[in-house]
Amino acid sequence: MDKRQLQTPILDGLKKFDKTAKGYFCVPSHHRGNGADSGLMELFGENVFKYDLTETPLTDDLHDAEGFIKEAECLAAELFGAYRTFFLVNGTTCANEAMIAASVSEGEKILVARNCHKSVLMGLIISGAEPIYIEPEKSLSMATFGSISPDSVKAAFEKNPGIKAFILTNPTYYGICSDLEKIAEICHSYGALLLMDEAHGAHLAFSKSLPKTALESGADMTAQSIHKTLGSMTQSSMLHVNGTLTDMDRVNAALNLVQSTSPSYILMASLDAARRQAVLKGGEMTENLLKISDYIRSGLNAIDGVHCYDGKNDKNIFDFDRTRIVFSIDGMTGFEIADKLLEKYKICTEMADSANVIAVLGHGDTKGDCDRLIQAVKAIASDIPGGASVGFEFPDIPPAALTPRKAFFAKSERVPLSESVGKISAEMIAPYPPGIPMVYPGEIITEDIYEFIAEAVENNRHIHGFSDKTMKTIKIIR
């Protein structure tokens, strides 16, 4: 291990500032806690305000890093195997936007996995690029999508000449991974960049028992939410750039476009500290995650009517992040299970859909935490008579009439949902499951899509995207 990796340049720089600066006449206006609300001070403690600083000659500048921020980013790049790493304080959302804006220009084509995070739509609006959507395989084990098939990626490039980049999510929220090495080879054979939303995969680098990271697999850029799986604070992420195909000037310009000009030094310090913690304990922490996830999975699968996916026997899932717990109970929706866990057993879970509940494990979880979840699920399942599991159907991707950017800026109006067939949607509508957009702005609402959405509305399923919260009308392009 390189001993430099034990350093924390940002933490040390902030401590040095505290000892050096005797007066502070900069923003933020609470002036290092002196003017902070007493209730907030009591809740958070004084140190969080003391180090809530702005750019000064002693604190470096995230947008033009030359001092301790630059040092911390270089250490992170070395750890994760990147050519260049950028610290982010606007989460992986801004990284997805920046990757797209840096890779494709208005009118150029980008291949997009249909199950991408909604921040990808924001990147498409910013760039003006034309998305070519590709749908993952349907999982045979869970009511959701599986992996992206390399064959379908190759077919998309052959059918759509001129694609400049491909962006996909790996691992997905459900822990599902695709064959990134083959996909990277295909992208590069067509001269295209591979962009990865690896928000849930920062921990993959610290165990050979887990799927390979995007950088190891040949991705050109990858965004990681360090706060999701490696312990930094919420909203802090990293963007890693690999290889020589990426235009670094455009990456810098894109990040300046989408990232705050008042970056939080607290968030940046947490990235610095999380990187050092990963150096010291990353392997140990990840092996503990694997141990407790296998324990939970075994315990849940021993309960009648409970199914916890184990990464096996599904030809449409290339690989699986075993640290992710995805389970269901026969005869119940995921929403009902999650509600009961919270209301009766005071257990919060990460996400639910119509079939599954997703539990995200943390490095500090104990066997007691695991037993609490297992026993609660056992109690819930014992009260359910059982029944068929929820199926998974999804309409075909609709034709596009406008790019997301043109649709965003076009004039729109509301029409009754029942009169929307054949119209161009001005909204992104995503029923759960699968939590994936049924229709994007600029796409034509087909009969199948209308029927799927109408059925979801009628059955009070969770739906994201309607600006009309009654879901009786939908915005369409005039």
Side-chain angles (χ1 to χ4, degrees):
M1 178 181 63
D2 186 340
K3 290 185 178 180
R4 292 185 307 111
Q5 286 289 343
L6 301 180
Q7 300 173 2
T8 48
I10 297 179
L11 271 68
D12 295 343
L14 295 182
K15 291 176 184 176
K16 180 179 179 180
F17 179 89
D18 183 45
K19 293 178 180 178
T20 304
K22 302 304 180 185
Y24 190 82
F25 296 95
C26 312
V27 296
S29 66
H30 62 68
H31 279 198
R32 311 192 69 204
N34 292 326
D37 175 76
S38 58
L40 202 59
M41 180 78 80
E42 181 181 355
L43 183 64
F44 290 161
E46 64 178 31
N47 275 350
V48 72
F49 295 97
K50 184 185 294 185
Y51 298 108
D52 184 23
L53 306 170
T54 191
E55 297 89 345
T56 74
L58 296 176
T59 53
D60 205 4
D61 181 351
L62 179 63
H63 288 280
D64 188 22
E66 296 178 330
F68 60 65
I69 296 175
K70 179 76 170 188
E71 291 178 43
E73 290 179 332
C74 288
L75 290 172
E78 291 175 15
L79 176 63
F80 288 100
Y83 168 72
R84 176 81 165 86
T85 292
F86 297 90
F87 280 12
L88 309 175
V89 296
N90 289 67
T92 295
T93 288
C94 81
N96 287 339
E97 295 167 349
M99 284 192 293
I100 294 172
S103 303
V104 278
S105 301
E106 185 161 10
E108 292 183 332
K109 297 175 185 176
I110 179 171
L111 189 61
V112 178
R114 192 69 179 187
N115 59 335
C116 276
H117 186 262
K118 63 184 180 181
S119 58
V120 169
L121 173 62
M122 303 172 198
L124 294 172
I125 291 171
I126 292 169
S127 72
E130 176 190 347
I132 306 296
Y133 291 107
I134 183 172
E135 198 168 90
E137 303 294 313
K138 290 179 181 177
S139 168
L140 304 177
S141 307
M142 295 181 276
T144 188
F145 280 122
S147 303
I148 297 281
S149 163
D151 290 341
S152 63
V153 174
K154 186 173 179 62
F157 274 101
E158 291 177 348
K159 185 179 179 180
N160 303 275
I163 291 175
K164 299 294 185 182
F166 176 27
I167 185 166
L168 70 153
T169 302
N170 194 91
T172 69
Y173 225 139
Y174 297 81
I176 295 168
C177 299
S178 298
D179 189 347
L180 297 187
E181 289 185 297
K182 285 188 178 179
I183 290 172
E185 289 177 6
I186 293 167
C187 289
H188 295 155
S189 72
Y190 285 89
L193 297 171
L194 178 58
L195 317 177
M196 297 301 309
D197 177 350
E198 202 177 14
H200 290 269
H203 64 298
L204 298 182
F206 302 97
S207 175
K208 296 297 183 183
S209 300
L210 292 173
K212 285 186 176 182
T213 69
L215 290 177
E216 290 174 319
S217 302
D220 298 287
M221 284 190 275
T222 182
Q224 296 178 334
S225 295
I226 305 301
H227 67 94
K228 284 184 167 71
T229 61
L230 279 185
S232 66
M233 297 182 74
T234 295
Q235 204 173 305
S236 59
S237 295
M238 295 182 191
L239 173 60
H240 305 297
V241 181
N242 194 27
T244 58
L245 295 178
T246 306
D247 185 333
M248 295 301 301
D249 288 339
R250 285 190 65 174
V251 174
N252 274 294
L255 285 173
N256 286 337
L257 179 68
V258 299
Q259 189 153 221
S260 173
T261 57
S262 299
S264 166
Y265 284 80
I266 296 169
L267 296 184
M268 288 187 281
S270 79
L271 286 171
D272 195 21
R275 187 265 316 151
R276 181 180 64 175
Q277 184 184 42
V279 169
L280 291 171
K281 298 181 178 180
E284 175 188 335
M285 293 190 305
T286 307
E287 290 307 314
N288 181 60
L289 283 180
L290 287 165
K291 182 178 178 180
I292 63 174
S293 66
D294 287 345
Y295 179 80
I296 292 173
R297 190 172 292 108
S298 176
L300 292 180
N301 281 327
I303 302 170
D304 288 342
V306 178
H307 312 277
C308 186
Y309 183 61
D310 60 4
K312 301 175 182 177
N313 303 319
D314 192 329
K315 67 181 180 65
N316 290 338
I317 294 179
F318 173 76
D319 209 345
F320 178 66
D321 172 11
R322 283 181 19 236
T323 70
R324 190 57 48 106
I325 297 295
V326 185
F327 70 94
S328 61
I329 300 176
D330 290 343
M332 293 187 74
T333 69
F335 301 121
E336 292 169 335
I337 301 166
D339 287 346
K340 279 189 175 293
L341 283 170
L342 181 59
E343 293 168 4
K344 190 170 182 178
Y345 300 96
K346 311 305 179 188
I347 296 175
C348 293
T349 48
E350 173 69 19
M351 192 187 82
D353 61 27
S354 288
N356 307 292
V357 174
I358 296 175
V360 176
L361 304 182
H363 303 302
D365 292 342
T366 65
K367 182 177 180 295
D369 298 320
C370 300
D371 288 334
R372 185 176 297 108
L373 175 62
I374 293 168
Q375 293 307 314
V377 172
K378 184 176 183 179
I380 293 170
S382 68
D383 290 337
I384 304 302
S389 58
V390 178
F392 176 63
E393 296 296 331
F394 203 68
D396 292 337
I397 297 173
L402 299 171
T403 64
R405 180 180 177 85
K406 288 180 179 178
F408 181 83
F409 289 105
K411 300 295 184 183
S412 63
E413 62 184 358
R414 294 186 189 279
V415 300
L417 181 61
S418 59
E419 299 176 12
S420 64
V421 175
K423 304 288 196 307
I424 302 172
S425 179
E427 301 188 288
M428 179 181 72
I429 308 298
Y432 280 75
I436 294 162
M438 186 74 49
V439 62
Y440 274 95
E443 294 180 337
I444 297 171
I445 302 169
T446 64
E447 183 72 36
D448 286 348
I449 285 174
Y450 161 70
E451 290 178 358
F452 195 101
I453 294 173
E455 185 272 337
V457 171
E458 182 179 352
N459 288 283
N460 295 315
R461 284 167 51 191
H462 290 234
I463 305 176
H464 289 185
F466 275 104
S467 57
D468 174 9
K469 298 309 176 184
T470 70
M471 295 183 286
K472 294 179 180 178
T473 66
I474 186 171
K475 289 177 71 175
I476 54 99
I477 304 298
R478 289 181 186 174

